[in-house]
Amino acid sequence: MAEIDPIVVDQVDALLAGETNLMTIYANASALLADAIADNNWCGFYLLNKATGELDLGPFQGKVACMHIKPGSGVVGTAFADGQSVLVPNVHEFPGHIACDAASNSELVAPVKVNGQTIGILDIDSPSLNRFSETDQATVVAFADHLGAVLDAISVNAVH
Ligand code: SME
């Protein structure tokens, strides 16, 4: 499977330069990344709801998905709790994996951080086993880091 072209990291900077609307930023970031990744069936965001402490479904490309994930639950909640990217070659072997789309077989997630604080999780699913390489993981982490810098520049905090 083709690796994700790292040019997408530069593209997200260019695409979002000057944008200040949060939904607009997340929506187009998910569209850009989904389009750049062959063989993905879901690509989008779970965003911290500070009032509930849960991760709420944000803008995404893909099928209807679970709307609330608790920190520590599933791949997304684990990444949030640890503040770290998680690469899952086979979701069926990940304890507590949350199956939103039965077609998903592998998954890659990365935290979106502002001022060192995780405010959301970027989540990508694939119908193929072992779809994502460690190089892909580095690219997606860089993408999420650049997105975090865009949010930092418009003074977004953990409240969405
Ligand atoms: N599989 C994720 C849930 C989100 S969906 O993949 C869109 C998880 O285990 O956290």
Side-chain angles (χ1 to χ4, degrees):
M1 185 59 59
E3 288 191 326
I4 304 166
D5 190 334
I7 197 170
V8 76
V9 179
D10 291 334
Q11 288 173 331
V12 77
D13 288 337
L15 179 67
L16 300 179
E19 181 52 55
T20 58
N21 182 298
L22 279 184
M23 275 320 147
T24 305
I25 287 170
Y26 285 120
N28 248 358
S30 70
L32 173 67
L33 192 58
D35 201 37
I37 301 177
D39 198 30
N40 84 83
N41 60 313
W42 204 93
C43 177
F45 296 94
Y46 282 90
L47 304 173
L48 177 64
N49 179 333
K50 207 175 178 189
T52 64
E54 293 187 343
L55 295 155
D56 292 349
L57 181 63
F60 68 95
Q61 315 290 310
K63 288 188 178 177
V64 165
C66 21
M67 292 190 276
H68 307 281
I69 296 177
K70 293 189 190 312
S73 294
V75 181
V76 168
T78 298
F80 180 81
D82 296 343
Q84 288 190 335
S85 171
V86 182
L87 174 58
V88 186
N90 181 350
V91 297
H92 309 290
E93 294 176 351
F94 188 95
H97 169 256
I98 301 165
C100 291
D101 182 344
S104 298
N105 281 309
S106 60
E107 187 162 359
L108 173 57
V109 301
V112 178
K113 297 185 180 186
V114 172
N115 283 328
Q117 186 180 5
T118 301
I119 63 165
I121 296 293
L122 170 56
D123 181 18
I124 307 158
D125 289 358
S126 172
S128 296
L129 288 166
N130 203 20
R131 161 64 185 86
F132 304 105
S133 67
E134 289 185 4
T135 304
D136 289 332
Q137 183 176 24
T139 300
V140 168
V141 167
F143 185 96
D145 285 349
H146 280 238
L147 181 61
V150 169
L151 298 171
D152 196 20
I154 58 170
S155 302
V156 171
N157 59 28
V159 181
H160 284 92

